[in-house]
Amino acid sequence: MSDKNKDDATLPLNLKKIVHTENGVQRSVAALHTTWKDGRCFTKYTAFLVNGEEPVGDALLEQWANETEWFIKDMKHLLNLEYHKFWSTIVHNATALESVVSFMQNALPFYLVPVLKALDNERVLPLYTAAHAHVFRVICRLTTVRESATCWMEPEFYGKLVYKHFIVTVPFLFDLISVYSRDNDAQIARILDTVLQLQPKYIQDLKHGLSYLLNAFNIIQTRCESELADATVSEATLNDLTLYAQDCSSVLVQLVTVSPTLRTICAELGVEFALSNFYDNVLIVLYRNIQEVNRQSRYLAALNDMRVELLETFRSVLSVQLEKIMDGSGDSLLAADRFIGILTECLANSVFVGDYKSLYDIEDDLAIVQVGYQSVDQVKYDFIQKAYARERPKQPAAPVASAEQQGRDESPANDGASLSEEEQRVEQNVRYIMELLPDLAVEQVRKVVRAYDDVEQAVSVLLEQDNAASGPSGGPSSGGDQPHIPADPLDEFYLRTGIDRLNIYDGDEFDVMVNDKVKGIIKKGKGMPGQPRTLTELLDDKSHIQQMRHFYRQYDLIAEQEPDDDDEYDDSFEAMAESESRHVKVAKGARNALADTVDAESSEEEQESEEEQSEQGANRNGAMAFCENPELARKRYEERLNSKYLRRHGSAAAGPSPKEADVRGKPKGQGQDAKVLLNRRHKNEHKATSGNHNRKQGASYKRNRGMLPS
């Protein structure tokens, strides 16, 4: 072989060219080209239904065995192809990649493989094992960049090739993990690391894939809430939900197990609360329902395995924050807060928290958090430490000492090592309560403290007793009876239904978050409803006018009454009074004429304003009245101006005639009159001397009536 041919052989696949002879003509063709593809139509893998509950027919098994034999032959043929023909077939022959993907989609998950051993047909398990192995070899070849010194391609070209032609996709990776991860952890981890390193775009695609996987968790939870609400749910439905949950959870568990990169991505997406919520609302619920239907069901063991795996996955994802704290990077404080926030958020799932506490000791983790970053919130830290602390067996209570012994305990000389640890704690709590409530008897306080471990609860019992000098049961003759506190009915309800009480206002009649209409008045802003909200409204209060209006109306009725026939005054006296009154009226007429006119106008204006307010109220109360019609408002305003002008001047307002004030004139090109030109000139010269409008007043007028100011 010449040196040139040797150099061509060592070139990568994307740069190599191979001589191709067709019809006696030789030409150089790229190594990755449709010319080199295998035109074979590859067989797709067809699966039979295996759920472990229903037997599979012999005819169906024989048909599946014959098709699987052809499928295995196609996989062997694909593996035996040369390097350039293999990749040309994968890229340019769609049936080749579809054949591989068909097995990934229809293969049995790892948790259903043992069911094949229970089948009577001896050909099934060997054929499935062979197909399983040959497909995995094809996948390993698809994800290998360099097979030998002459069979390789550039990493950058490989990353673009598999991403552009959809050779490796996120569903493909999920199926790969579901089918092969349990038996080939190292190979699967290598494949994932290679793909993510050569093509970083897969990281963003995996984030979307994990989001869809978490959405599947929500779908399963919704189905459990809807379908399990019926008391007559069938066992087949429960088994179907269990398989669905097991399929989704196994993918997530193996993703976190085999790849540290995916574990970091899960931590970024915050899957911790989704895992705890899925644990409480799906796995526990399914376990209880299946146990009620069939205690011998094999799905109970599967649910127990899923519970352990989810706890381990939660621990693995949570440890990402601990690793950041131990690294001492700039995100240490953020990681510490994130760690405590995750544990706080998961407290809503009580069963998950109980199982996690029994499986893992969180004291070491919290010590890492506190040592790694000293400025963590101490209140949150103490709360989490107490919430996740393991429950230790309680020590038996010490016997009640006699009165003589109690008297000796009160002396400070006997407070040393002679007392046990429990007695020391009791005496310390007694001294603490006596400092708060010095008027109580020591025996009474000690008796209550021994009955209740919590100091706050003991203080509450002492304060609720009717007589401070009596015993906990209400009298000195109660002896060793413990104080009785009636239980809260709401606490019993929440304990019976399993719903956590979030705060003290749950179920309260004044809780606006629960009740649409609450008792009383909900005050918003300043003042009470119906009262003036500002000082201007308070000083401009005219309610007394409306209250006194009916009194003045009575005076008008009295003045209009006619005198009776039996009036005691004679005609002469009436005539004299009439002449005097006429004289007074003439004298006062000149002085009161203007005042009467002003009063009449003001009364009419008040009446008009009342009518306007009533109209506005009618408009506001209308179902479809968003704001007042501007045309009606302008028309009413013009009528008011005309009526005022008529009252004052006795005639309508006479403005300039159109001909005298015409500035519009004729259309352009037809010539204009001298009067029009003069009017235009006068308007142009005097337009800045005085404003013909008030923009602020007009805008306020429109805004008060619900219109938009221009």
Side-chain angles (χ1 to χ4, degrees):
M1 185 181 292
S2 63
D3 296 338
K4 183 178 180 181
N5 292 334
K6 290 182 179 179
D7 294 339
D8 293 342
T10 57
L11 289 175
L13 182 67
N14 52 304
L15 300 178
K16 185 186 297 186
K17 291 186 178 181
I18 302 175
V19 178
H20 175 63
T21 303
E22 185 177 2
N23 297 328
V25 179
Q26 293 184 355
R27 59 189 181 93
S28 297
V29 181
L32 186 61
H33 193 265
T34 185
T35 304
W36 310 111
K37 73 175 183 179
D38 193 319
R40 183 171 185 162
C41 183
F42 290 86
T43 306
K44 292 184 179 180
Y45 177 80
T46 304
F48 54 88
L49 181 62
V50 175
N51 56 6
E53 302 295 338
E54 299 177 0
V56 183
D58 294 336
L60 184 61
L61 290 177
E62 289 297 329
Q63 181 182 357
W64 174 85
N66 295 331
E67 293 178 356
T68 305
E69 288 179 353
W70 282 105
F71 176 79
I72 295 173
K73 292 179 181 179
D74 289 342
M75 292 297 103
K76 290 180 179 180
H77 177 76
L78 188 62
L79 289 171
N80 292 328
L81 292 176
E82 298 180 16
Y83 188 72
H84 68 283
K85 290 184 178 181
F86 172 81
W87 279 104
S88 298
T89 303
I90 291 294
V91 174
H92 299 289
N93 189 352
T95 60
L97 188 59
E98 289 176 359
S99 178
V100 178
V101 173
S102 65
F103 181 83
M104 303 290 294
Q105 294 176 346
N106 297 318
L108 294 177
F110 63 90
Y111 49 83
L112 288 180
V113 174
V115 180
L116 295 177
K117 300 178 181 179
L119 298 177
D120 296 335
N121 198 318
E122 298 179 354
R123 298 177 58 193
V124 173
L125 186 59
L127 286 175
Y128 180 81
T129 305
H132 187 274
H134 283 88
V135 171
F136 187 68
R137 294 191 184 98
V138 173
I139 294 172
C140 291
R141 192 175 187 185
L142 285 174
T143 54
T144 301
V145 181
R146 179 184 290 270
E147 292 184 4
S148 63
T150 58
C151 301
W152 65 286
M153 65 179 72
E154 294 180 349
E156 184 178 357
F157 176 78
Y158 172 81
K160 295 180 180 179
L161 180 67
V162 296
Y163 191 82
K164 178 181 178 181
H165 294 279
F166 301 98
I167 297 175
V168 178
T169 59
V170 171
F172 182 88
L173 294 176
F174 282 5
D175 292 336
L176 176 66
I177 289 173
S178 178
V179 176
Y180 291 101
S181 60
R182 285 303 177 98
D183 301 327
N184 306 276
D185 289 345
Q187 291 84 347
I188 298 300
R190 181 196 62 81
I191 291 173
L192 288 175
D193 293 340
T194 301
V195 171
L196 296 179
Q197 183 179 1
L198 298 179
Q199 183 52 267
K201 293 182 180 179
Y202 282 112
I203 295 178
Q204 188 65 29
D205 294 345
L206 282 170
K207 289 182 180 180
H208 291 295
L210 287 172
S211 300
Y212 282 113
L213 187 60
L214 297 180
N215 189 27
F217 283 0
N218 295 331
I219 294 174
I220 297 173
Q221 182 177 347
T222 304
R223 284 191 58 184
C224 289
E225 293 175 354
S226 60
E227 297 181 11
L228 300 184
D230 188 7
T232 60
V233 61
S234 62
E235 186 178 359
T237 303
L238 296 173
N239 297 340
D240 180 57
L241 288 173
T242 304
L243 286 175
Y244 191 7
Q246 190 173 11
D247 188 29
C248 295
S249 63
S250 62
V251 173
L252 182 59
V253 168
Q254 294 304 313
L255 278 172
V256 175
T257 303
V258 301
S259 176
T261 304
L262 293 177
R263 183 165 64 97
T264 306
I265 294 176
C266 291
E268 293 176 0
L269 295 178
V271 302
E272 297 90 347
F273 180 71
L275 289 175
S276 64
N277 197 26
F278 185 79
Y279 189 96
D280 262 35
N281 299 321
V282 175
L283 301 187
I284 303 301
V285 174
L286 287 175
Y287 190 91
R288 291 172 181 172
N289 284 272
I290 293 177
Q291 194 175 22
E292 292 178 359
V293 176
N294 183 9
R295 290 183 176 271
Q296 305 300 327
S297 176
R298 66 182 183 87
Y299 292 97
L300 294 176
L303 287 171
N304 283 329
D305 295 339
M306 291 165 59
R307 292 171 64 178
V308 176
E309 291 176 352
L310 285 182
L311 289 173
E312 294 176 352
T313 304
F314 179 87
R315 173 75 174 180
S316 178
V317 177
L318 188 63
S319 62
V320 174
Q321 311 301 332
L322 296 176
E323 293 174 359
K324 292 181 180 179
I325 296 173
M326 289 186 292
D327 290 343
S329 59
D331 297 336
S332 297
L333 179 59
L334 183 61
D337 290 340
R338 177 65 179 161
F339 182 86
I340 296 178
I342 291 170
L343 295 179
T344 305
E345 192 176 15
C346 293
L347 285 175
N349 303 312
S350 57
V351 180
F352 173 82
V353 172
D355 293 347
Y356 186 79
K357 289 192 300 183
S358 61
L359 192 60
Y360 299 102
D361 190 3
I362 204 172
E363 293 293 336
D364 297 337
D365 299 341
L366 292 176
I368 294 174
V369 172
Q370 192 173 28
V371 172
Y373 209 87
Q374 298 292 338
S375 61
V376 69
D377 192 346
Q378 190 64 30
V379 177
K380 295 181 180 178
Y381 180 86
D382 295 339
F383 175 74
I384 290 298
Q385 188 177 22
K386 185 179 296 183
Y388 282 86
R390 286 190 174 183
E391 297 180 358
R392 296 178 174 82
K394 296 183 179 180
Q395 298 180 358
V400 180
S402 60
E404 182 180 359
Q405 182 67 25
Q406 291 179 4
R408 289 197 299 267
D409 291 342
E410 294 176 6
S411 61
N414 294 331
D415 290 340
S418 60
L419 296 177
S420 63
E421 182 180 355
E422 183 70 19
E423 288 294 334
Q424 291 179 3
R425 184 183 62 82
V426 171
E427 292 301 326
Q428 183 179 2
N429 294 337
V430 168
R431 287 193 296 269
Y432 176 74
I433 296 177
M434 289 302 298
E435 293 178 359
L436 298 176
L437 305 172
D439 56 330
L440 299 181
V442 179
E443 295 81 2
Q444 177 188 357
V445 175
R446 184 178 289 107
K447 186 182 298 182
V448 175
V449 168
R450 284 175 175 168
Y452 297 93
D453 295 335
D454 191 4
V455 178
E456 296 180 358
Q457 191 174 4
V459 172
S460 177
V461 171
L462 292 171
L463 292 176
E464 288 180 357
Q465 291 177 352
D466 296 334
N467 188 6
S470 62
S473 299
S477 61
S478 58
D481 297 337
Q482 296 183 356
H484 173 70
I485 300 177
D488 189 358
L490 287 178
D491 290 339
E492 296 179 359
F493 169 75
Y494 289 122
L495 182 61
R496 186 170 60 255
T497 57
I499 304 174
D500 292 335
R501 188 170 184 176
L502 301 180
N503 52 57
I504 60 174
Y505 302 106
D506 286 351
D508 193 82
E509 59 182 355
F510 296 102
D511 189 1
V512 296
M513 303 300 293
V514 178
N515 302 321
D516 295 335
K517 295 181 179 180
V518 298
K519 297 181 179 180
I521 299 175
I522 300 177
K523 181 177 176 296
K524 296 181 180 180
K526 297 180 180 180
M528 295 297 292
Q531 294 183 357
R533 292 175 295 180
T534 60
L535 181 61
T536 304
E537 293 183 3
L538 179 63
L539 297 177
D540 197 28
D541 186 15
K542 294 185 176 59
S543 59
H544 63 283
I545 298 177
Q546 301 294 336
Q547 297 174 1
M548 301 299 295
R549 189 181 297 276
H550 65 282
F551 290 106
Y552 291 99
R553 287 178 179 174
Q554 294 179 3
Y555 290 125
D556 295 338
L557 295 175
I558 294 173
E560 293 176 358
Q561 288 180 358
E562 297 181 357
D564 298 335
D565 295 338
D566 54 347
D567 197 355
E568 60 181 353
Y569 300 102
D570 54 359
D571 295 337
S572 60
F573 183 78
E574 291 177 359
M576 181 178 63
E578 184 178 357
S579 63
E580 291 179 358
S581 62
R582 187 180 297 110
H583 177 71
V584 172
K585 287 181 180 180
V586 171
K588 294 181 179 180
R591 186 176 62 202
N592 296 334
L594 181 60
D596 295 339
T597 304
V598 174
D599 294 339
E601 291 180 359
S602 62
S603 62
E604 291 178 359
E605 290 179 358
E606 290 180 358
Q607 184 176 1
E608 290 176 358
S609 64
E610 292 177 358
E611 293 176 357
E612 182 180 356
Q613 292 178 0
S614 63
E615 292 178 0
Q616 291 179 0
N619 292 332
R620 292 172 184 170
N621 294 332
M624 302 298 293
F626 179 74
C627 65
E628 186 180 8
N629 190 356
E631 296 180 358
L632 299 178
R634 287 193 294 269
K635 183 178 180 181
R636 184 170 61 252
Y637 183 68
E638 292 175 359
E639 291 177 355
R640 190 183 304 116
L641 291 179
N642 292 333
S643 61
K644 288 183 179 180
Y645 195 88
L646 286 173
R647 289 196 302 270
R648 294 180 180 178
H649 303 283
S651 61
S657 62
K659 293 183 179 180
E660 294 178 358
D662 186 15
V663 293
R664 187 172 184 181
K666 299 178 182 179
K668 186 177 182 180
Q670 297 184 9
Q672 305 295 340
D673 296 338
K675 189 67 174 177
V676 174
L677 297 176
L678 183 61
N679 290 337
R680 289 180 180 177
R681 179 181 176 185
H682 183 272
K683 178 182 178 181
N684 190 31
E685 292 177 352
H686 296 84
K687 64 182 179 181
T689 57
S690 61
N692 57 356
H693 60 281
N694 189 335
R695 294 181 179 177
K696 182 177 180 181
Q697 182 179 0
S700 301
Y701 175 79
K702 290 183 178 181
R703 190 178 293 108
N704 293 336
R705 284 158 179 78
M707 296 179 283
L708 298 177
S710 58

